[in-house]
Structure formats: C-alpha cells, structure tokens
C-alpha cells in the first residue's frame, strides 16, 4: 500500500504571536478531519519551524512524498516566487508537489458568512446589509482581480452590496469602502476580513472598520477553511494516484 504524502502547510509567519497560534489551531482542525493524514507546519519567516527545517527533517526520517500547501488566499508573490524557491532547495530525495492556494472557493464564502453570523448578523439582515470584503492587499494584479471577482460573486448571494477593500498595496481602504456603502443607503455595514490569521494588516482592517456596524473575526480555524486545505491536498495528490492506478 502506498503511503500518503505528508501534507506540509506553509504559512508566512509573523512577529505577532496570534498568527502562529491561529495557524496551529487550523492545522489541528485539519488533523481532526482526517486522522490518518500526517500534517506538518512550516513558516517562511519569523516563526519556527522553518519550511527548510521541516523538509530536511522529513527527508532524514525517510519520507519520500510531500504535498506543500501555501496557506494563502490568493496566488500572489509568495505563491509564485517565495515558496517555489524554498521548495527547490529541499533535499533531493523528496518528491514535492505544490498545491494550489486556498482561494477562491465557495467554502471560503461560507466561512466568511459564518464569521459574520458569529459577529451578530442574522440571515434576515442580509438584503439590507452592505459588506466590505477586506483583504490584506497585494501588488499583484491577478490577486487584486480575484478579490474583486469574489466580491461580485458574493453580492449575487443576496447582500445589499459587497465592496472589496485592501489593507495595503491597493485601494480602496476599508474605511473608504465602509463610507461608500453608507452612501449607497445600506441599512447597516459589516466588515468581513478575508484573511486567515491576526497580525499587522488585519489590525489595520479592524481600525478601518471603526465606523462599521459589524466587524467579523478573521477566518482562522473555521471548519470550512480546513476542508479547503484537504481539497487542495487531494487535488495535488490526484495526478500521482492516477499515474500508479491507485
């Protein structure tokens, strides 16, 4: 029987201790959903263990197959450059497949709505509520376009309006999107952070939500996020399974 590839979740890392704590909570949820799967965590910066260190440890143990999953919501610089560069430096004995980033996914929209309901909104509020889809931001046009498309798609599910906003590198800022929704006449305005873990930019989003009626928590270890991780793992593993007829 073939051994399942190890799932290596690659997080950016942060000086803010809430970031690593949230990543580890998410990984614990992934393990609980698939007990037979080995899941490891590595960080690109600031936190330990490093991605390089985890890969070297796995190789020393005799592991051969790894699925490296970027803990990212959009396919921007880290997914396109940083992570592939680190993976290229891995021990030669490892066979590594890089999984796709988490977004976009219908499950992530469900997770966003979960967080809004936890913050106090009800399904009955939906048609009269404008939502700011607040992301960290990126200088990558592809990533910005994806956020804008997610906002358009989410609007079609029944919200009064949905506007994208960015904490860095792109406009509008959260506070500007909140004011725009007020001007549109939405009865209430909610801010939904489209980010995975707390940190510097999520804190900036929270400050920009000062004039909103509702501020949701970050996505964090929401069960829907954990399910997306497993979907991405399975998709990355599928070509190898097909090749051996497994």
């Amino acid at each position: 029987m073939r051994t399942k590839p190890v799932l290596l979740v690659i997080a950016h890392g942060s000086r803010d201790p809430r970031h690593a704590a949230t990543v580890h909570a998410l990984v614990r949820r992934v393990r609980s959903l698939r007990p037979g799967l080995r899941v490891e965590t590595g960080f690109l910066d600031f936190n330990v263990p490093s991605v390089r260190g985890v890969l070297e440890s796995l190789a020393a143990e005799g592991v051969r197959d790894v699925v490296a999953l970027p803990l990212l919501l959009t396919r921007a610089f880290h997914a396109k450059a940083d992570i592939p560069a680190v993976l290229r430096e891995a021990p030669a004995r490892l066979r590594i497949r890089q999984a796709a980033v988490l977004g976009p996914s219908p499950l992530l929209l469900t997770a966003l709505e979960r967080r809004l309901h936890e913050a106090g909104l009800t399904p009955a509020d939906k048609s009269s509520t404008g939502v700011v889809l607040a992301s960290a931001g990126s200088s990558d046009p592809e990533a910005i376009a994806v956020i804008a498309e997610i906002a358009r798609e989410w609007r079609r599910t029944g919200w009064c309006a949905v506007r994208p906003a960015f904490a860095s590198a792109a406009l509008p800022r959260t506070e500007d999107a909140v004011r725009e929704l007020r001007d549109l006449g939405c009865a209430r305005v909610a801010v939904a952070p489209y980010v995975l873990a707390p940190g510097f930019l999520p804190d900036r989003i929270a400050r920009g939500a000062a004039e909103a009626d509702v501020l949701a928590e970050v996505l964090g270890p929401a069960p829907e996020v954990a399910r997306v991780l497993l979907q991405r793992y399975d998709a990355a593993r599928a070509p190898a399974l097909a090749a051996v007829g497994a």
Side-chain angles (χ1 to χ4, degrees), residues 173-193:
R173 295 287 184 256
T174 301
E175 53 269 34
D176 297 325
V178 168
R179 294 184 190 114
E180 181 184 352
L181 291 171
R182 291 274 188 227
D183 292 342
L184 280 175
C186 297
R188 66 187 61 77
V189 176
V191 174

Side-chain angles (χ1 to χ4, degrees), residues 105-173:
S105 166
L107 282 171
L108 294 178
L109 291 181
T110 302
L112 287 166
E113 296 209 6
R114 170 191 292 275
R115 293 300 188 228
L116 287 170
H117 293 158
E118 290 169 352
L121 288 182
T122 70
D125 296 324
K126 195 165 188 176
S127 63
S128 59
T129 300
V131 179
V132 178
L133 179 68
S135 78
S138 173
S139 58
D140 188 311
E142 178 186 347
I144 297 302
V146 166
I147 298 299
E149 178 56 31
I150 292 170
R152 286 191 290 269
E153 178 182 343
W154 204 16
R155 164 66 182 85
R156 290 194 285 268
T157 67
W159 295 101
C160 173
V162 179
R163 293 291 184 271
F166 307 94
S168 67
L171 296 174
R173 295 287 184 256

Side-chain angles (χ1 to χ4, degrees), residues 6-246:
V6 172
L7 170 56
L8 172 58
V9 176
I10 300 179
H12 183 272
S14 171
R15 293 186 178 91
D16 188 322
R18 297 173 298 167
H19 174 90
T22 302
V23 170
H24 290 310
L26 175 58
V27 168
R28 286 194 296 272
R29 188 177 286 276
V30 172
R31 291 185 182 122
S32 74
L33 291 177
R34 194 169 295 182
L37 176 63
R38 180 174 178 181
V39 187
E40 300 291 343
T41 309
F43 295 90
L44 291 173
D45 206 353
F46 302 117
N47 301 104
V48 292
S50 68
V51 176
R52 182 177 290 104
V54 174
L55 291 171
E56 289 173 352
S57 295
L58 291 173
E61 289 179 33
V63 170
R64 294 298 302 277
D65 293 297
V66 176
V67 170
L69 194 155
L71 198 59
L72 300 168
L73 293 171
T74 59
R75 189 173 174 273
F77 180 79
H78 293 304
K80 294 176 179 179
D82 285 356
I83 291 174
V86 172
L87 297 180
R88 283 194 296 270
E89 297 174 356
R93 67 172 291 131
L94 292 176
R95 292 189 292 259
I96 302 175
R97 294 185 289 280
Q98 182 176 327
V101 298
L102 302 185
S105 166
L107 282 171
L108 294 178
L109 291 181
T110 302
L112 287 166
E113 296 209 6
R114 170 191 292 275
R115 293 300 188 228
L116 287 170
H117 293 158
E118 290 169 352
L121 288 182
T122 70
D125 296 324
K126 195 165 188 176
S127 63
S128 59
T129 300
V131 179
V132 178
L133 179 68
S135 78
S138 173
S139 58
D140 188 311
E142 178 186 347
I144 297 302
V146 166
I147 298 299
E149 178 56 31
I150 292 170
R152 286 191 290 269
E153 178 182 343
W154 204 16
R155 164 66 182 85
R156 290 194 285 268
T157 67
W159 295 101
C160 173
V162 179
R163 293 291 184 271
F166 307 94
S168 67
L171 296 174
R173 295 287 184 256
T174 301
E175 53 269 34
D176 297 325
V178 168
R179 294 184 190 114
E180 181 184 352
L181 291 171
R182 291 274 188 227
D183 292 342
L184 280 175
C186 297
R188 66 187 61 77
V189 176
V191 174
Y194 190 60
V195 293
L196 288 166
F200 177 76
L201 293 177
D203 284 349
R204 181 180 287 177
I205 290 171
R207 290 193 298 272
E211 296 180 13
D213 302 292
V214 173
L215 170 63
E217 293 293 328
V218 299
L219 293 170
E224 297 86 359
V225 179
R227 287 168 58 196
V228 176
L229 263 72
L230 290 172
Q231 287 181 351
R232 298 295 184 255
Y233 169 83
D234 290 337
R237 185 175 172 236
L241 291 176
V244 298

